[in-house]
Amino acid sequence: MKNKFYITTPIYYPSNKLHIGHAYTTVLNDVYARFRRMQGYETYFLTGADEHGLKIEENAKKANMTPQQFVDKQVEGFKKLWDLLQITNDDFIRTSEKRHHETVQHIFDNMIKRGDVYLGEYEGYYCVHEESFWTATQVGEDKLCPECKRPVQKASEETYFFKTDKYLDRLLNHMEKHPKFLTPISRKNEMINTFIKPGLEDLSVSRTSFTWGIPVKANPKHVTYVWLDALTNYISALGYSSNHEELFQKFWADENSEIIHVVGADITRFHAIYWPMFLMSEGIRLPDRIFVHGLLMMKDSKMSKSRGNVVDPVPLVKRYGVDALRYYLVRETVFGSDGQFTPEQFVERINVDLANDFGNLLHRSVSMINKYYDGIVPQYKGDITPFDKELRELAEQTVKDYEAQLGDLKITEAFISVFKLISATNKYIDNTEPWNLKKNGEDEKLASVMNHLANALYVAAILLQPVLVEAPSKLFDQLGVEEDLRDYKHVYKFGVLGGQKVNKGQPLFPRLNVEDEVEYIKSLMGDN
Ligand code: ME8
């Protein structure tokens, strides 16, 4: 079992503002990082910005700025968004930083020395938007980028090529031997069938037609191809090849560290094929997992700024709170599958799961404990009513399922498990009918029901902490949970609550008016 965790998001292009799709990846990574830290593991969580390339150079020119000024401004916006979403990244790597340049130059030099790259002539087509080269067959007669369908530019220039055939067999072997290396499994099949089987060409890894990039030391008229540059962030941020390799040794070189790259389906090829080859060339071990998540769509097409169909996460957080958006992102779309953002489903998720099932359960429980026991949670005395055992066992099982699921990046499934416990706790009230127990003077049973309710809610709230960053502590305040009992280690033993003084508080999630809110969210959609 690994005992350290290194998890990364893609580093996003600062060419535009970030949208809900970027927030999706980053929030899900944050949930995983918070989960591992909560369990007590050393965890390093990285995100950042991919700042070089022709597209940035062009956008900066349009904005009348130098590329550095342009990316500095954009990155400010990134960081504000991550603060708003309470993202707990340990570092933020920018590819324009010196520390990153040095690592990239070191790697490129080594590739030249080892004979893994060679100087040649590139003839083909370049898509500025995707920062990708394509062959004549790939762009077809219309000369459109096969990925984004924009016109491509004919490119013919001197370039360094990376020898892919040198490492291909090793890569295929590695994929075969490590079934978790690239998941979901459908992504692995897609890589093999679409890119590897038809014949993988050598990859052009330098450019001479623009300057906003990292110069190749041995031949400075070349700048490093943005993808070789960008992928290297995962180790430059850990100090690889610098005088301070401590983080690299701890979170990468050490086999006890689990290295996880989370990426969207649009960039699988670079992470699953070329990045492992670059690492092999450098003699560094491969990541343990490349987890490919699906894309959030709108109006049946990929969300993108240029199509004018993006959702800005900022107003959603401002109006509904950070927990509502984080929960929606985690829960609505199964991590790994494609999803669709609709205002109706957004509002419904908050109303049904958060306001009704979760928030209202707390409200009912606190009211009953107030009414029947003067606000003091009765002591745990084992299972008394016929329904107690079932609820306790479910709570215990939920902890096990949750850990197994979250640990395996089945993030959505893990929170579905927690909400099953919440639904069962609501049902437990219906089954035990506390008001009748009171009426009939069955005090022992009533006390047990109040205790089981408080304890089931407590377990749910502990488990929800990686996704809900505000509500659990409000819940603990209302249930009177002491500070030391808020620690994750107490979740394994059912029945830790008893004797606390509950405090009536505000609803955790006020119910939303569906019509008004759908209209509001619709007004945010489109080109903003
Ligand atoms: O590709 N749904 O940066 P990028 C879900 N710089 N996720 C989405 C999404 C959507 N509609 N749109 C974007 C790059 N994403 C490179 C990465 S890494 C070494 C270099 C997320 O700004 C998703 O994770 O275009 C996707 O892979 C990433 O943002 C692409 O961000």
Side-chain angles (χ1 to χ4, degrees), residues 118-177:
Y118 60 93
L119 204 53
E121 181 79 16
Y122 180 81
E123 268 181 42
Y125 296 86
Y126 192 69
C127 171
V128 179
H129 185 263
E130 300 291 329
E131 302 276 15
S132 285
F133 296 102
W134 304 105
T135 61
T137 341
Q138 285 172 316
V139 299
E141 272 185 15
D142 298 338
K143 306 276 178 281
L144 297 180
C145 169
E147 197 88 35
C148 71
K149 312 289 178 226
R150 289 183 177 74
V152 289
Q153 298 171 3
K154 194 149 194 202
S156 155
E157 58 183 273
E158 182 186 280
T159 182
Y160 282 96
F161 284 101
F162 181 86
K163 290 184 185 164
T164 54
D165 58 345
K166 189 166 166 188
Y167 297 104
L168 187 58
D169 286 346
R170 246 179 90 187
L171 176 65
L172 288 169
N173 230 329
H174 188 86
M175 285 184 174
E176 194 65 30
K177 280 210 191 105

Side-chain angles (χ1 to χ4, degrees), residues 163-221:
K163 290 184 185 164
T164 54
D165 58 345
K166 189 166 166 188
Y167 297 104
L168 187 58
D169 286 346
R170 246 179 90 187
L171 176 65
L172 288 169
N173 230 329
H174 188 86
M175 285 184 174
E176 194 65 30
K177 280 210 191 105
H178 299 87
K180 292 271 174 183
F181 175 68
L182 177 58
T183 55
I185 190 83
S186 55
R187 302 297 179 186
K188 177 176 135 191
N189 300 336
E190 180 193 334
M191 285 302 112
I192 292 176
N193 295 330
T194 322
F195 299 108
I196 298 178
K197 278 207 182 131
L200 192 63
E201 295 180 14
D202 286 352
L203 181 73
S204 163
V205 288
S206 75
R207 309 288 294 151
T208 55
S209 55
F210 63 92
T211 56
W212 179 238
I214 302 176
V216 175
K217 255 194 175 160
N219 192 350
K221 74 171 186 209

Side-chain angles (χ1 to χ4, degrees), residues 29-283:
N29 276 44
D30 186 58
V31 168
Y32 184 84
R34 283 174 181 265
F35 162 66
R36 287 304 190 189
R37 278 190 218 112
M38 180 168 88
Q39 286 187 312
Y41 292 115
E42 277 192 283
T43 303
Y44 205 77
F45 168 24
L46 180 71
T47 188
D50 183 0
E51 306 185 346
H52 293 130
L54 189 52
K55 189 167 43 172
I56 301 279
E57 200 176 79
E58 286 180 354
N59 282 9
K61 209 177 280 168
K62 273 186 228 150
N64 245 332
M65 292 180 185
T66 65
Q68 190 67 54
Q69 287 169 335
F70 180 78
V71 293
D72 285 351
K73 183 178 142 273
Q74 294 293 105
V75 163
E76 249 175 64
F78 282 24
K79 290 188 174 172
K80 266 197 201 145
L81 177 61
W82 302 147
D83 281 349
L84 187 70
L85 287 167
Q86 299 198 32
I87 301 301
T88 57
N89 53 303
D90 294 286
D91 195 0
F92 188 102
I93 180 85
R94 301 183 54 184
T95 56
S96 64
E97 288 174 274
K98 185 161 167 274
R99 58 172 173 157
H100 176 74
H101 278 228
E102 287 172 354
T103 303
V104 171
Q105 289 186 322
H106 172 86
I107 287 179
F108 208 114
D109 261 12
N110 282 343
M111 286 177 175
I112 296 177
K113 282 186 203 138
R114 291 193 184 102
D116 284 353
V117 297
Y118 60 93
L119 204 53
E121 181 79 16
Y122 180 81
E123 268 181 42
Y125 296 86
Y126 192 69
C127 171
V128 179
H129 185 263
E130 300 291 329
E131 302 276 15
S132 285
F133 296 102
W134 304 105
T135 61
T137 341
Q138 285 172 316
V139 299
E141 272 185 15
D142 298 338
K143 306 276 178 281
L144 297 180
C145 169
E147 197 88 35
C148 71
K149 312 289 178 226
R150 289 183 177 74
V152 289
Q153 298 171 3
K154 194 149 194 202
S156 155
E157 58 183 273
E158 182 186 280
T159 182
Y160 282 96
F161 284 101
F162 181 86
K163 290 184 185 164
T164 54
D165 58 345
K166 189 166 166 188
Y167 297 104
L168 187 58
D169 286 346
R170 246 179 90 187
L171 176 65
L172 288 169
N173 230 329
H174 188 86
M175 285 184 174
E176 194 65 30
K177 280 210 191 105
H178 299 87
K180 292 271 174 183
F181 175 68
L182 177 58
T183 55
I185 190 83
S186 55
R187 302 297 179 186
K188 177 176 135 191
N189 300 336
E190 180 193 334
M191 285 302 112
I192 292 176
N193 295 330
T194 322
F195 299 108
I196 298 178
K197 278 207 182 131
L200 192 63
E201 295 180 14
D202 286 352
L203 181 73
S204 163
V205 288
S206 75
R207 309 288 294 151
T208 55
S209 55
F210 63 92
T211 56
W212 179 238
I214 302 176
V216 175
K217 255 194 175 160
N219 192 350
K221 74 171 186 209
H222 288 255
V223 296
T224 312
Y225 174 47
V226 278
W227 273 100
L228 171 54
D229 169 347
L231 289 160
T232 305
N233 90 86
Y234 300 130
I235 53 176
S236 67
L238 298 180
Y240 176 68
S241 82
S242 76
N243 293 330
H244 296 283
E245 277 204 345
E246 296 82 2
L247 286 171
F248 178 78
Q249 291 305 332
K250 185 170 181 178
F251 288 105
W252 196 294
D254 187 345
E255 291 282 344
N256 288 325
S257 174
E258 176 147 296
I259 305 167
I260 304 170
H261 296 314
V262 174
V263 301
D266 50 338
I267 57 176
T268 319
R269 182 166 66 108
F270 296 103
H271 285 83
I273 300 178
Y274 302 119
W275 176 229
M277 290 185 175
F278 299 158
L279 289 168
M280 286 176 195
S281 163
E282 188 61 19

Side-chain angles (χ1 to χ4, degrees), residues 9-15 18-26 49-50 55 78 226-227 229-234 262-268 271 293-297 302-304:
T9 73
I11 50 171
Y12 308 111
Y13 290 127
S15 32
L18 298 183
H19 57 66
I20 203 172
H22 303 104
Y24 177 67
T25 315
T26 308
D50 183 0
K55 189 167 43 172
F78 282 24
V226 278
W227 273 100
D229 169 347
L231 289 160
T232 305
N233 90 86
Y234 300 130
V262 174
V263 301
D266 50 338
I267 57 176
T268 319
H271 285 83
H293 68 72
L295 297 179
L296 298 186
M297 315 285 192
K302 185 180 153 186
M303 217 181 268
S304 87

